[in-house]
Amino acid sequence: MRMNHIDIHVPDVAVTSAFLVRHFGLTLRETRGGNGLAILNDDAGLEIVVSHPVEKFGGAEQQALGVVTYHLGFIQPERAEVDRLYRELKDGDAELVGEPREMRGGYLFYCLAPGRVMIEVGWRG
């Protein structure tokens, strides 16, 4: 068994999707419902669905809730890539949550993508 997809709920599907494509190399495969849902892929085949929450299923998005309840992790092949992404995000449109640092056996930092989606960028040697 392998994980097939994860669905993250955000207020603006197009903005969050564009951020993930631009900074993390995801590929936009498909959009549906007038930008109500976007399907992204990583280079290993994982599908990340970016969508509006489905209220009838109890869905909500973190920005409206004012909390962060999960995070996505992007592992880098080299430690230098963590620093490169940090600089790129710092110069761009990301809200950074601390600088890269040694933590739990790795080297990492966190940022918030549009929609308050917490992202961990890390390397493990």
Side-chain angles (χ1 to χ4, degrees):
M1 181 184 316
R2 70 174 181 85
M3 180 182 274
N4 170 267
H5 74 277
I6 184 166
D7 188 343
I8 60 174
H9 296 153
V10 299
D12 191 326
V13 170
V15 169
T16 302
S17 297
F19 180 92
L20 293 170
V21 167
R22 181 172 55 257
H23 295 295
F24 296 100
L26 299 176
T27 301
L28 176 61
R29 196 178 88 214
E30 182 179 350
T31 58
R32 297 180 188 163
N35 269 328
L37 180 142
I39 300 172
L40 310 174
N41 287 106
D42 71 3
D43 58 3
L46 178 65
E47 210 172 72
I48 298 175
V49 178
V50 182
S51 68
H52 296 289
V54 180
E55 290 184 33
K56 70 180 179 182
F57 297 134
E61 44 94 358
Q62 296 184 119
Q63 187 166 310
L65 294 173
V67 298
V68 173
T69 60
Y70 62 86
H71 73 268
L72 304 178
F74 290 96
I75 197 76
Q76 302 303 309
E78 303 288 334
R79 181 182 170 123
E81 278 297 298
V82 174
D83 291 324
R84 185 195 65 74
L85 266 169
Y86 177 79
R87 287 189 305 274
E88 176 183 314
L89 291 163
K90 185 175 182 180
D91 293 341
D93 54 354
E95 181 181 340
L96 297 168
V97 183
E99 296 180 352
R101 64 191 176 280
E102 305 274 340
M103 183 188 292
R104 296 187 301 273
Y107 180 69
L108 56 96
F109 71 92
Y110 293 90
C111 72
L112 288 170
R116 290 189 59 82
V117 176
M118 179 75 75
I119 295 179
E120 175 184 333
V121 179
W123 170 81
R124 289 182 176 65

